[in-house]
Amino acid sequence: GIDADAVNCSGAPYDMENSGGGVSHIVIRNGRARNGSGVTVKGTLNQFYNMLVYGNAAGLQADGTSHLVSNNSVYGNGGSYGLKIVAGTGNRAQNNIVYGNTSDTIVDNGTSSTVDHNITSNPLWVDPANGNFRLQTGSPAIDAGTTLNTYYNTDIAGNVRV
């Protein structure tokens, strides 16, 4: 995975167009891609998880086959969606928080997609306006996800998920 911030980008802050890759534990913010998104993934069998995507022209989108988009927080982005499966077969969008965007919509234009255990209501972050996306006690996001496998057993801060 990549451990970095993509900040104040003029193009799509992260656009992956290959197959079989993975990106995790990354913050994508302040991207201003025209008609683009904070994160775009294309190809086959890519995995995007434990990411924070906020303050971009649009949220996070997957276009292709058998992508896994999980355990991400998508906040404060513009555009007509928070998370979007553009097309393709067998994509999975699970355990994501999509809140506080121009639209908190999760769009599924794919075929045979799995879209579940996502939260689009207030997750009770501590202070998102100042970049603190930790969950408060009583958050509806705590223990709301589904178990994916042990590969996804840490959060964006590297803490073990329980």
Side-chain angles (χ1 to χ4, degrees):
I2 297 172
D3 183 14
D5 284 354
V7 180
N8 299 320
C9 300
S10 59
Y14 197 89
D15 190 348
M16 179 182 229
E17 296 192 31
N18 64 1
S19 296
V23 175
S24 67
H25 297 83
I26 185 170
V27 175
I28 309 267
R29 59 188 164 129
N30 300 331
R32 297 288 177 242
R34 181 173 172 232
N35 297 322
S37 64
V39 174
T40 298
V41 56
K42 299 177 183 177
T44 305
L45 294 170
N46 290 307
Q47 299 176 21
F48 277 65
Y49 60 97
N50 286 348
M51 293 192 310
L52 174 58
V53 180
Y54 75 102
N56 297 290
L60 191 154
Q61 66 180 2
D63 185 1
T65 303
S66 300
H67 297 307
L68 174 61
V69 178
S70 67
N71 301 337
N72 300 294
S73 293
V74 182
Y75 170 78
N77 299 290
S80 61
Y81 62 88
L83 190 154
K84 181 178 183 178
I85 296 175
V86 178
T89 303
N91 292 298
R92 293 168 49 200
Q94 297 175 285
N95 300 353
N96 298 288
I97 299 171
V98 180
Y99 179 74
N101 302 283
T102 300
S103 172
D104 292 331
T105 304
I106 297 176
V107 177
D108 178 9
N109 292 331
T111 305
S112 300
S113 304
T114 301
V115 179
D116 62 23
H117 292 87
N118 299 295
I119 292 178
T120 57
S121 60
N122 188 343
L124 300 178
W125 284 312
V126 171
D127 188 4
N130 290 303
N132 187 341
F133 291 90
R134 291 178 299 143
L135 299 173
Q136 296 178 41
T137 301
S139 166
I142 295 173
D143 297 328
T146 185
T147 301
L148 298 172
N149 70 36
T150 57
Y151 188 68
Y152 308 99
N153 63 356
T154 60
D155 64 17
I156 193 169
N159 299 315
V160 175
R161 292 184 185 278
V162 292

